[in-house]
Amino acid sequence: MPPLSRHITAHYSVKRRLIHHLARLLVLSTVVISTLYTTTATASGWNPHNSPLLLAQQSMITREEAIAIAKQGQESKVLKVVKQEQPSGSVYRVKLVTKQGRVKQVTVNATTGQIEHQ
């Protein structure tokens, strides 16, 4: 092999080793960074299952809880319960008949459980 071709071959061999080492360094640094991120996030109490969006979706009150809130401890019969989406969020509209025969509709916020309209 002529001296020039040996030099070119050696040059490509050095480049190939350099690329190989850079690739290994990139993989290793990615593993270290992700491990540090996970360790820091876990130590700070962060949990991907507790993201604000998921908590908002999971913290909706149930239909039965909305009925109990709407009744406010008074004896009444439930006529109808409807869950509706509003710009401010989800609400339950609970229609009740009181012991005295009066019909009333109560709107209960599905996220907070607070009565919005009585």
Side-chain angles (χ1 to χ4, degrees), residues 98-118:
T98 64
K99 198 172 182 180
Q100 295 78 23
R102 197 181 88 161
V103 177
K104 68 180 198 175
Q105 183 166 321
V106 180
T107 303
V108 180
N109 185 305
T111 305
T112 64
Q114 294 181 337
I115 295 176
E116 293 184 352
H117 183 264
Q118 199 166 359

Side-chain angles (χ1 to χ4, degrees), residues 55-57 59-61 88-92 108-114:
L55 287 176
Q57 291 173 348
S59 64
M60 297 283 187
I61 63 171
S88 61
S90 298
V91 296
Y92 285 100
V108 180
N109 185 305
T111 305
T112 64
Q114 294 181 337

Side-chain angles (χ1 to χ4, degrees), residues 52-64:
L53 180 60
L54 287 176
L55 287 176
Q57 291 173 348
Q58 295 170 353
S59 64
M60 297 283 187
I61 63 171
T62 65
R63 181 179 187 272
E64 289 73 24

Side-chain angles (χ1 to χ4, degrees), residues 11-22:
H11 177 70
Y12 282 115
S13 177
V14 169
K15 267 181 132 175
R16 208 171 331 146
R17 281 186 289 172
L18 180 62
I19 290 172
H20 177 75
H21 288 302
L22 288 174

